[in-house]
Amino acid sequence: MRPDGTLVKHEDPMYYLIPHFLTKRYDAMNMITLDIPEMPMRAYMNEKRKEGKQISHLALVLTAYLHTMEKFPALNRFIKGRKIYQHKDIKVSMVVLKPDGGDTMSKIDLLPTDDVFDVQEKITAYIDQNRQTGEANSLDKAMNIFVEKLGGLTGFLIRIVWWLDSVGLLPQSLIDVSPFHASLLISNLASIRTNHIYHHIYEFGTTSIAITMGNMREVPRRGKDGIVFDRCMPLGVVMDERIANGHYMAQAFAQIKKYLADPRLMERENLDAEKAAEQSAEAAEKAE
């Protein structure tokens, strides 16, 4: 039993067979660009700014992903040792630039109950903590030990870490500091004024999906009076196709777009109302 995941049972046989044919994440990588119209997000951010609340594009994307994951739980799965697991929690890996020009990477812990304001608060605290000049987070300290203290043993010990991870025996203490063990990897490349990319998903660890946010761009769309251009935020998405089929992923991406088209849906009151409506519909369906 892995400390970070539970074995998935009673799924379609395809999910148990495909990891034996596609044995590596880089064998199973699918890529897509999602163009998200900026106008609804910008209008919402401006509205909240007038109320004294700062909301970022990153917070909107992460909150949309978080609550889409609640509806589509297979997004929080991973393959290890040719078996399929469900993450026990929701952790997001992210790179943070430091004032001295360096960078660091660690994880944000999210909860299914977080709304957009909770997520923004966690992002702000995470960035502030990791941007402290001269301060090293847990990952930085662990890497320094491997490189500076262990010397020639580094390669041997890392091979042991790989093996422990592959058989589910990697200690929770190492999983906690590893940015490779997460529900999602996200990188806001627009913050350094560059375009989105298709970021690889690591073979080591448990991260099945990576998202990058890029510079805004004009995307053509056919309107009533001809071709019009929408200012959009592109998301470069890379996913391990072994965790869910294409139809499932397409539905999940449509849900992400729905949230970002009306960010008010990601506030606590509206999230609670949506959940209550879904529960009521499920109860009515069972009663029939």
Side-chain angles (χ1 to χ4, degrees), residues 165-226:
D165 190 41
S166 68
V167 297
L169 296 176
L170 191 66
Q172 185 68 54
S173 57
L174 289 180
I175 290 173
D176 288 341
V177 301
S178 166
F180 309 109
H181 293 77
S183 305
L184 172 71
L185 166 69
I186 192 165
S187 180
N188 184 10
L189 297 179
S191 67
I192 56 173
R193 294 181 170 82
T194 191
N195 297 326
H196 71 289
I197 63 169
Y198 299 114
H199 195 292
H200 60 90
I201 43 180
Y202 306 98
E203 180 59 26
F204 177 66
T206 60
T207 308
S208 297
I209 298 180
I211 295 177
T212 66
M213 303 161 56
N215 286 330
M216 297 293 171
R217 65 182 186 176
E218 301 294 324
V219 177
R221 172 176 58 83
R222 185 179 297 278
K224 293 188 299 183
D225 301 319

Side-chain angles (χ1 to χ4, degrees), residues 155-173:
F156 172 70
L157 292 174
I158 288 179
R159 285 195 293 273
I160 291 177
V161 169
W162 268 85
W163 179 79
L164 289 172
D165 190 41
S166 68
V167 297
L169 296 176
L170 191 66
Q172 185 68 54
S173 57

Side-chain angles (χ1 to χ4, degrees), residues 6 8-9 11-12 14-15 25 65-79 84-87 89-90 182-184 206-209 238-253:
T6 56
V8 173
K9 300 179 180 179
E11 261 291 0
D12 188 300
M14 174 190 70
Y15 290 105
R25 284 199 183 94
Y65 190 88
L66 171 65
H67 289 287
T68 296
M69 191 185 294
E70 188 175 8
K71 297 176 183 295
F72 297 89
L75 294 181
N76 204 21
R77 290 180 177 177
F78 63 92
I79 306 295
I84 185 166
Y85 294 88
Q86 187 78 27
H87 276 285
D89 51 21
I90 303 168
S183 305
L184 172 71
T206 60
T207 308
S208 297
I209 298 180
V238 178
M239 69 214 88
D240 184 341
E241 73 164 329
R242 298 174 299 174
I243 64 172
N245 63 39
H247 180 256
Y248 188 96
M249 288 293 190
Q251 289 182 307
F253 295 148

Side-chain angles (χ1 to χ4, degrees), residues 102-174:
D103 59 52
T104 188
M105 189 175 185
S106 60
K107 296 184 284 196
I108 301 175
D109 291 295
L110 298 179
L111 298 172
T113 53
D114 289 340
D115 70 357
V116 66
F117 304 116
D118 298 320
V119 172
Q120 180 63 67
E121 184 177 345
K122 290 183 177 184
I123 290 172
T124 301
Y126 169 87
I127 292 174
D128 289 345
Q129 179 182 6
N130 284 279
R131 275 187 176 167
Q132 298 297 322
T133 305
E135 292 290 328
N137 62 26
S138 299
L139 174 64
D140 297 331
K141 293 174 181 176
M143 290 191 298
N144 288 336
I145 291 173
F146 270 103
V147 175
E148 297 178 5
K149 307 293 185 183
L150 300 177
L153 293 174
T154 298
F156 172 70
L157 292 174
I158 288 179
R159 285 195 293 273
I160 291 177
V161 169
W162 268 85
W163 179 79
L164 289 172
D165 190 41
S166 68
V167 297
L169 296 176
L170 191 66
Q172 185 68 54
S173 57
L174 289 180

